[in-house]
Amino acid sequence: MAYTELSGSASMAYAEALESVMTREASASSGDGFGFVKKSVTRGDHWYLQHTLAGKKKQYYFGPDNEEIRGRIAQQKARWDEGKADTAQVEKLVAMALAAGCAGISHRAYKVLYAAEQAGLFRAGGVLVGSFAFLAMGNMLGVSWRRDTTATQDIDLAASDEAMVAIPENARPLGDVILDSETGLLSVPMLNPRAHSTSFKIRGGSFRVDLVTPRKGKPEGQQYVRAIQSYAEPVAFLEYLLEDTQKAVLLHKGGVLVNVPNPARFALHKLVVARRRPASQRTKATKDVKQATQLLTCLLDQNPGDVWLALDAALSHPSRKFRDTLRAGIQSLDVGAGLKARLAEIQG
């Protein structure tokens, strides 16, 4: 079986969790990790906004101790209280979805992705790609995937100055946010000592976070992405995924609201990625094809129109190499005659 359908109660619980998380984001933050601290200095008392993340505290000046500032603090605390009430409700819905059979994420992955969400990455248009996005798509489509295709320790975050608005200027660089989100995360050193790191890894473990961005022209090493104030690894044809995205909630605690690629585009892109991997990455290429096969089988069963639209867009891609690689990938798939017939029709 390419996939297993979730129960109606699981799909309903996921839909309610997604709606509640989107409402929470639109209304008020829970203020998780934030608080106000008053300090006495030479010129009187002053207030600071304190943010605690992964045991590390950072303070930002808020203003002098006067009636106006105290009023603003009270208003912010009231918004946080409202957000905390919303979060408690979402936590119940997330727990219900997981109990009904939806796929969840690990606590370590949650800490990194929640920190990225709070930093504004997904509000600005950043996109979760890779196997964590594939896992989220199963819940979105009301199915569960084969376990050997969802096991992952790699988080891939995509950002592009062309596809997203900049995170506020006073925000910290995304790379710093990731490093502070989980104890033990370290920047992965590059072979070229003058190059900038785009990956973060747990010391002595396999958990990894990668920042990626669409490749512009010929490969020239890491690219600085102004929107996230960090460097990212250029990836060929990634823009095809970032052009069409959807909201999804990752299930753990109070949920994490992310952007993921259109599932049909994700599947077709996986076919291209699989055929471009070097021989040393044969295991990853096999996993790419398995994920693509499951997604395409599910979509052709549920809503084949999504596949045809994604295929039309792919075959209009300006890169002939992308188009030809995709055609070869589709012809080698075992997903029935429909997709191959449609490809032949478009080519004809």
Side-chain angles (χ1 to χ4, degrees):
M1 287 289 293
Y3 64 89
T4 303
E5 289 192 11
L6 294 172
S7 66
S9 60
S11 295
M12 180 63 71
Y14 172 80
E16 291 180 351
L18 175 60
E19 181 180 356
S20 295
V21 171
M22 292 178 67
T23 301
R24 181 184 67 192
E25 182 194 46
S27 57
S29 167
S30 67
D32 209 13
F34 286 92
F36 289 99
V37 176
K38 185 168 70 171
K39 290 185 175 182
S40 296
V41 294
T42 305
R43 289 174 291 178
D45 293 340
H46 293 262
W47 286 95
Y48 291 79
L49 176 66
Q50 181 169 286
H51 185 207
T52 305
L53 186 64
K56 298 180 180 179
K57 296 181 180 179
K58 293 185 180 294
Q59 294 182 342
Y60 308 90
Y61 182 70
F62 194 75
D65 182 32
N66 57 38
E67 187 174 347
E68 178 188 355
I69 293 297
R70 288 193 295 272
R72 289 170 57 188
I73 290 173
Q75 289 177 349
Q76 184 58 60
K77 287 183 176 181
R79 286 194 289 267
W80 285 344
D81 288 342
E82 179 184 348
K84 285 183 173 68
D86 292 340
T87 297
Q89 176 61 23
V90 174
E91 287 175 347
K92 294 178 183 178
L93 292 171
V94 168
M96 289 170 59
L98 291 171
C102 290
I105 62 172
S106 69
H107 185 59
R108 175 171 283 167
Y110 169 82
K111 287 194 286 185
V112 172
L113 290 163
Y114 179 76
E117 179 199 38
Q118 292 297 295
L121 173 66
F122 303 113
R123 286 192 298 275
V127 182
L128 175 68
V129 296
S131 291
F132 273 93
F134 175 69
L135 183 147
M137 290 172 194
N139 292 333
M140 290 168 52
L141 296 170
V143 302
S144 62
W145 308 121
R146 289 170 45 182
R147 185 166 298 180
D148 63 324
T149 57
T150 57
T152 182
Q153 293 271 9
D154 297 341
I155 295 176
D156 300 299
L157 299 173
S160 165
D161 287 330
E162 291 73 25
M164 60 187 293
V165 297
I167 292 174
E169 291 184 2
N170 60 350
R172 301 171 59 219
L174 182 61
D176 292 348
V177 171
I178 291 172
L179 280 173
D180 288 346
S181 67
E182 168 67 332
T183 303
L185 269 177
L186 301 171
S187 296
V188 176
M190 309 302 291
L191 294 177
N192 181 352
R194 291 179 296 179
H196 300 272
S197 176
T198 61
S199 298
F200 311 90
K201 196 173 184 296
I202 286 289
R203 187 196 307 271
S206 57
F207 183 81
R208 183 183 181 107
V209 183
D210 292 308
L211 302 182
V212 295
T213 192
R215 178 177 294 167
K216 302 173 185 176
K218 295 182 179 180
E220 295 182 357
Q222 293 73 29
Q223 293 178 0
Y224 183 77
V225 182
R226 178 183 53 81
I228 60 172
Q229 305 174 53
S230 300
Y231 283 85
E233 183 68 24
V235 175
F237 314 131
L238 189 63
E239 69 284 348
Y240 174 69
L241 293 185
L242 305 190
E243 290 169 355
D244 188 354
T245 63
Q246 300 176 8
K247 291 290 185 183
V249 58
L250 300 174
L251 301 178
H252 186 80
K253 294 188 68 176
V256 182
L257 186 64
V258 300
N259 302 316
V260 297
N262 173 297
R265 288 197 180 212
F266 182 87
L268 298 180
H269 185 265
K270 279 288 182 181
L271 295 179
V272 174
V273 170
R275 298 185 76 84
R276 289 174 57 83
R277 288 192 187 276
S280 60
Q281 295 184 6
R282 181 175 300 176
T283 300
K284 288 187 175 181
T286 299
K287 185 177 180 181
D288 290 334
V289 173
K290 287 181 178 179
Q291 290 183 353
T293 300
Q294 289 177 95
L295 262 173
L296 290 171
T297 301
C298 176
L299 290 169
L300 289 170
D301 288 343
Q302 292 186 5
N303 193 359
D306 286 353
V307 180
W308 310 147
L309 289 173
L311 184 58
D312 289 346
L315 295 178
S316 299
H317 194 281
S319 169
R320 180 175 179 179
K321 181 178 293 185
F322 178 84
R323 300 193 304 269
D324 289 347
T325 305
L326 176 59
R327 290 188 180 101
I330 291 175
Q331 293 297 343
S332 66
L333 274 181
D334 181 20
V335 291
L339 184 56
K340 297 176 184 179
R342 178 63 173 167
L343 177 61
E345 177 186 326
I346 293 175
Q347 289 177 301

